[in-house]
Amino acid sequence: MTSMFERAAVITLPRLEPHRPPVSSAIVARICSDAGLTTKSFDLNIDLYHQSRSLFDSLDSILDGYRTASTTEAHEIDLFLDAEIERIGSYEPDIILISVFSFTSHYFAKRLLEKLRHIAACKIIGGQGVFVPELSRQEQDRNTFGQTMLDNGLIDHYIVGEAEETLSRFLGGQRDLPGLDNSNPVQVMRLDDAPWPDYSYFDLDRYAYLDSKREVFVTSSRGCVRKCTYCDVPYMWPKYRWRSGENVANEMISHYEKHGITKFYFTDSLVNGSMKSFSDMCSRLANYKFSPGLSWSGQAIIRPKNQVSTEYFDMISAAGGKQFYIGVETGSDKIRWEMDKKFTNDDIQYHLENFSRTGINMFFLMLTGYVTETIDDHLDTLAMFPRWQHYVADGTIKGIDLGPTLIVMANTPLDHMREDLGIRFLNGDPKSWITDSNPGLTIKERVRRRIEVHEQAVRFNWPIWRGEQRLETIRDLIKGLGRDDGANYSTRINGAFD
């Protein structure tokens, strides 16, 4: 294919975890290269991580919309972006492609685009964050972030949805394309035909791997077999699709043979969404000789225990499966069912028993203060910590991410249930919601319960993932509370830090 462009700059924005090179940018770079463009990747996320760890670690509450950047932080970010733009400009690209991972990328995307005005290049943004409104504008303006940036003259084009086919055709000169400057993307149905990411565009020695081994992302499916009420994945990807297990395993083997990589993290909403594909992948991996041994992890779903035999766990272990991040969300079966999670505490217990037996680890992902949560539901969550503490002691439960409190995001099932549940946003803020159907669950009460869950996790020695950063986010949320309540909660948060 002959492209009208010659030099492409592919940009990754903060804040992503710094532990692996970004898969979306690795795919975009591959597509540009396949189209004949000289291509260079600029990973601003890892650049900021190395330049200012203190700023990098403090970004969560800013990017999640809980607070604005301080004058010092904003100045430091401006200086960082100015230096990055100078590097990008010296490369002299004629097309710039920016990956906007989610709404948390909006802050850096806007500031970067404002500063890129003087660089004479075609600017395109893509990624899941392009398809959603800005967090601060969800109530009063449902325009997507991509359309807002186009209307403001900060970009030339945006691509929503899966960009592989659209971007390839755009680089070849086509313009009337699904998802290009419109909200009508077409899902890629044959994922086995999609290009694999090329990590050669990144300095793999710069990433803060979680141990001594290099680790990269791999994607085996898109979408989700569940429609959890608080999640917008079904809006992004209405139809769940998966790659063949052999295709996924072959990609992993390719990265091993090219870069010596033996450790992988799956980006899937659920790595075990298709049981056939998952089983075929495990079979292929178990029969390939990796040296040293293979290990992989990712998000997974707890299935009802009558759907998976004990051999299922043996299969995963033999294929190198080591660790799963699972959206347990709550200790209440009632709330989990209302979230449309479709598994119970008994199912969790069954998985923990078999994970322990086969040496597989698990992280709990939690969400405190769901719309229908009562005090009894909250007590069920607190009871979870002593119940499964022995799995913490034997190393099966590696940690827990308590998350902030619930945000009612746009285009989720919960967003569509707002009228039925009597959900109202205070000052148009989807973080500061109240509900007439459960009036006792005020913002103050959600904060109280969230802090209590943290204290209970500490009491029973559960390792808390990103605990201090999450507490800082809660601290920023309580600044809007009354002075007495805010001071009381701040004292409890300070105690949690200790």
Side-chain angles (χ1 to χ4, degrees), residues 290-350:
F290 291 85
S291 179
L294 174 71
S295 66
W296 47 269
S297 59
Q299 293 189 148
I301 190 172
I302 294 282
R303 292 186 176 276
K305 62 183 181 180
N306 62 357
Q307 294 183 8
V308 288
S309 67
T310 57
E311 287 77 16
Y312 166 79
F313 301 93
D314 296 315
M315 172 192 74
I316 295 171
S317 180
K322 299 298 183 186
Q323 191 161 275
F324 292 115
Y325 299 79
I326 297 177
V328 172
E329 313 303 355
T330 173
S332 165
D333 282 345
K334 177 178 77 69
I335 292 299
R336 204 179 299 113
W337 203 260
E338 290 170 356
M339 291 176 169
D340 213 10
K341 303 293 291 189
K342 297 187 175 150
F343 61 87
T344 67
N345 287 335
D346 283 345
D347 299 324
I348 299 171
Q349 175 68 36
Y350 176 71

Side-chain angles (χ1 to χ4, degrees), residues 113-169:
L113 288 168
E114 288 166 354
K115 291 173 176 291
L116 279 174
R117 291 177 189 268
H118 67 281
I119 294 184
C122 174
K123 293 180 282 295
I124 303 178
I125 60 175
Q128 295 184 38
V130 171
F131 204 18
V132 297
E134 292 181 64
L135 189 62
S136 60
R137 298 162 64 91
Q138 290 196 63
E139 180 69 0
Q140 64 268 35
D141 183 356
R142 289 300 178 98
N143 274 346
T144 65
F145 181 75
Q147 188 62 50
T148 300
M149 294 299 98
L150 186 64
D151 292 344
N152 291 342
L154 294 176
I155 58 174
D156 298 284
H157 300 284
Y158 64 88
I159 298 176
V160 300
E162 296 160 302
E164 289 94 340
E165 293 182 5
T166 297
L167 177 57
S168 180
R169 292 166 63 187

Side-chain angles (χ1 to χ4, degrees), residues 14 40 54 66 85 119 133 155 230 325 415 439 467:
K40 186 172 183 178
S54 60
Y66 286 93
I85 288 171
I119 294 184
I155 58 174
Y230 52 82
Y325 299 79
D415 183 34

Side-chain angles (χ1 to χ4, degrees), residues 235-380:
Y235 174 70
M236 303 290 184
W237 290 316
K239 183 175 178 58
Y240 174 72
R241 294 136 303 131
W242 60 93
R243 296 164 60 188
S244 67
E246 182 177 9
N247 185 266
V248 176
N250 287 342
E251 180 195 334
M252 297 166 72
I253 292 168
S254 173
H255 294 315
Y256 166 70
E257 293 176 345
K258 188 172 184 178
H259 299 293
I261 292 168
T262 58
K263 189 175 181 183
F264 298 87
Y265 184 87
F266 282 84
T267 67
D268 306 46
S269 296
L270 302 172
V271 68
N272 59 344
S274 166
M275 291 297 285
K276 182 182 187 308
S277 173
F278 186 62
S279 298
D280 290 347
M281 179 195 75
C282 288
S283 177
R284 171 85 166 106
L285 293 175
N287 289 301
Y288 186 90
K289 301 302 181 184
F290 291 85
S291 179
L294 174 71
S295 66
W296 47 269
S297 59
Q299 293 189 148
I301 190 172
I302 294 282
R303 292 186 176 276
K305 62 183 181 180
N306 62 357
Q307 294 183 8
V308 288
S309 67
T310 57
E311 287 77 16
Y312 166 79
F313 301 93
D314 296 315
M315 172 192 74
I316 295 171
S317 180
K322 299 298 183 186
Q323 191 161 275
F324 292 115
Y325 299 79
I326 297 177
V328 172
E329 313 303 355
T330 173
S332 165
D333 282 345
K334 177 178 77 69
I335 292 299
R336 204 179 299 113
W337 203 260
E338 290 170 356
M339 291 176 169
D340 213 10
K341 303 293 291 189
K342 297 187 175 150
F343 61 87
T344 67
N345 287 335
D346 283 345
D347 299 324
I348 299 171
Q349 175 68 36
Y350 176 71
H351 279 66
L352 285 170
E353 290 171 359
N354 282 282
F355 284 163
S356 178
R357 179 180 62 82
T358 55
I360 299 170
N361 302 323
M362 175 179 172
F363 268 82
F364 280 49
L365 308 179
M366 300 293 290
L367 179 60
T368 303
Y370 186 70
V371 176
T372 57
E373 183 184 273
T374 66
I375 191 63
D376 287 338
D377 297 320
H378 173 61
L379 293 175
D380 285 342

Side-chain angles (χ1 to χ4, degrees), residues 36-140:
L37 280 68
T38 301
T39 303
K40 186 172 183 178
S41 174
F42 296 86
D43 187 349
L44 274 59
N45 185 67
I46 200 64
D47 289 345
L48 181 61
Y49 174 82
H50 285 295
Q51 179 170 312
S52 178
R53 285 292 305 277
S54 60
L55 177 61
F56 186 89
D57 290 342
S58 69
L59 283 176
D60 278 9
S61 56
I62 300 172
L63 304 186
D64 283 339
Y66 286 93
R67 68 180 179 92
T68 58
S70 68
T71 302
T72 300
E73 289 169 329
H75 179 65
E76 189 174 355
I77 290 169
D78 281 338
L79 291 178
F80 167 76
L81 290 177
D82 288 342
E84 293 290 321
I85 288 171
E86 185 174 348
R87 285 202 312 123
I88 296 166
S90 65
Y91 174 64
E92 298 183 350
D94 52 11
I95 182 170
I96 294 175
L97 303 106
I98 302 173
S99 175
V100 183
F101 177 72
S102 73
F103 74 87
T104 61
S105 302
H106 290 171
Y107 178 87
F108 271 90
K110 286 179 65 175
R111 296 180 82 87
L112 179 67
L113 288 168
E114 288 166 354
K115 291 173 176 291
L116 279 174
R117 291 177 189 268
H118 67 281
I119 294 184
C122 174
K123 293 180 282 295
I124 303 178
I125 60 175
Q128 295 184 38
V130 171
F131 204 18
V132 297
E134 292 181 64
L135 189 62
S136 60
R137 298 162 64 91
Q138 290 196 63
E139 180 69 0
Q140 64 268 35

Side-chain angles (χ1 to χ4, degrees), residues 30 164 188 190-196 222 243 247:
R30 165 77 181 274
E164 289 94 340
V188 177
R190 290 179 52 86
L191 293 185
D192 279 10
D193 296 337
W196 296 345
R222 293 179 184 173
R243 296 164 60 188
N247 185 266

